[in-house]
Amino acid sequence: MTLYLYNTLSGKKEVFEPQDPNRVTFYACGPTVYNYVHVGNGRSAVVFDLLNRLLQKLYPNVIFARNITDVDDKINASAKEEGVDIKQYAERFTEAYADDMQRLGNQVPTLQPKATEHIPQIIDIIQRLIERGHAYESEGHVLFAVESMDDYGRLSHRNLDDMLAGARVEVADYKRNPMDFVLWKPSSDDLPGWDSPWGRGRPGWHIECTAMIMHHLGETIDIHGGGSDLVFPHHENEMAQGKCCVPDSHGYARYWVHNAMLDVEGEKMSKSLGNFTLLRDVLDAFPGELVRLALLSAHYRSNLNWSEQLIHQSRQTLDRLYTVLRDSEDLEPDMPADLLSLEAIQALLDDLNTPKALAALHEASGRFFKTEDKAERARIKGEIISVCGVLGLLQEDPESWFKGDGGEGGLTEDEIEALIQARQDAKKAKDFARADAIRDELKEKGVVIQDTREGTRWSREG
Ligand SMILES: [Zn+2]
């Protein structure tokens, strides 16, 4: 089976061929832990979690690393503003990020290296860059010399002259070229710092990822992922450092995969959606799986509009899939012999085409509802469960999905059950007006009931 990925470096969709199928290496840029992350960061995390899950179906050993940037001027400034210790401040948001990832249903990456735990490796790479004539020291800073590299700009498809013309780079007289970027900078006593050949200081952002990649994964990795906002300068600079610090480099990263942005401001959102921009707030308001599906609903290279309609549609999609599970509780799923040949998985193998995969799931659930044939229903159930396993969906029990949690001001499960019982009693006593009144009351409070042969079912409205 072939996996296709769009490679930013070539500007084309390519067949993915790992250097070593027994050790696939994959790195995605993680958060700078100075605040709760934006829902857009959630999109990136979910997309790369999906890619990681898919790679695991294809290769026996996938090493997926996502870093934590825990030394950064934004962390320093925020901690100072709050009057707390910088390290503790960074730890608080590192934990919050892990919690957000878990609620989104993301797997824990194989490795989660922290920048502050790789200072010797960072210093080593900077020294090698200086020795090889790609970096220089100036006024306590060490800078990467972009002109020392023939193809600087290759990843972001721009050349140095164009960059300079449109540059909004910091002009500093310690730079030889305005595009030269910082590898190391001096720290005053009140800021985090480490001893180095260039005095007490701290690393720049780009060098952290390069050092962690080369230390844990190797000189050239298979896949490097991140948001499209990171292509320039972050990834361009990472690649420059990674290629220039070793002789005969094989290119630092072979496939560069970038997800498009989430458009939150594009639409005015109503109060019910809360105009949330922090992932944490969104996860407090909606089930994690719903948020996950919403973030996966557009192709990862297309912009995604975060809207009330998106939430509503995602709820409907999940309700439909969970209905399949609920309606087949007595059926053992017949799992597909060849997962990779399923239409939905084929779509994912084609550059993570999630809209097409979701359409295939919709079609499969349609077939399920149309047939009474038990063997066929068991087969479709197996198909849906296995595809959703790769997507990280349907991880809940259908009953608990439909019952959800009432949220603030809603009816509790016990209250709902009591009202349903009261309605049953009213019906038995032939007090149909009372029974209808209870149904209306439940509906008004967002609870839909359905009378079936097995009794009355209820679910909360999305
Ligand atoms: Zn990075």
Side-chain angles (χ1 to χ4, degrees), residues 16-32:
F16 174 68
E17 282 169 358
Q19 300 168 104
D20 176 1
N22 292 312
R23 187 178 183 271
V24 176
T25 48
F26 172 25
Y27 182 93
C29 292
T32 299

Side-chain angles (χ1 to χ4, degrees), residues 27 29 67 205 209 224 234-235 238:
Y27 182 93
C29 292
N67 72 296
W205 172 34
C209 286
H224 195 313
H234 184 53
H235 290 165
E238 262 193 50

Side-chain angles (χ1 to χ4, degrees), residues 288-359:
E289 269 193 25
L290 192 154
V291 179
R292 181 179 181 89
L293 174 64
L295 291 171
L296 288 174
S297 59
H299 189 270
Y300 78 95
R301 285 192 290 116
S302 303
N303 274 25
L304 173 63
N305 193 13
W306 190 249
S307 66
E308 201 164 351
Q309 198 197 359
L310 176 68
I311 294 285
H312 181 68
Q313 278 170 355
S314 304
R315 167 90 68 182
Q316 282 186 323
T317 301
L318 280 170
D319 279 353
R320 185 176 162 103
L321 294 169
Y322 272 112
T323 301
V324 171
L325 294 193
R326 192 173 64 179
D327 289 357
S328 63
E329 258 166 348
D330 53 332
L331 276 181
E332 199 59 42
D334 180 1
M335 301 307 271
D338 182 9
L339 171 75
L340 298 180
S341 68
L342 295 177
E343 197 187 333
I345 301 295
Q346 287 286 314
L348 296 177
L349 289 169
D350 184 13
D351 196 29
L352 304 182
N353 193 336
T354 49
K356 204 170 163 191
L358 293 170

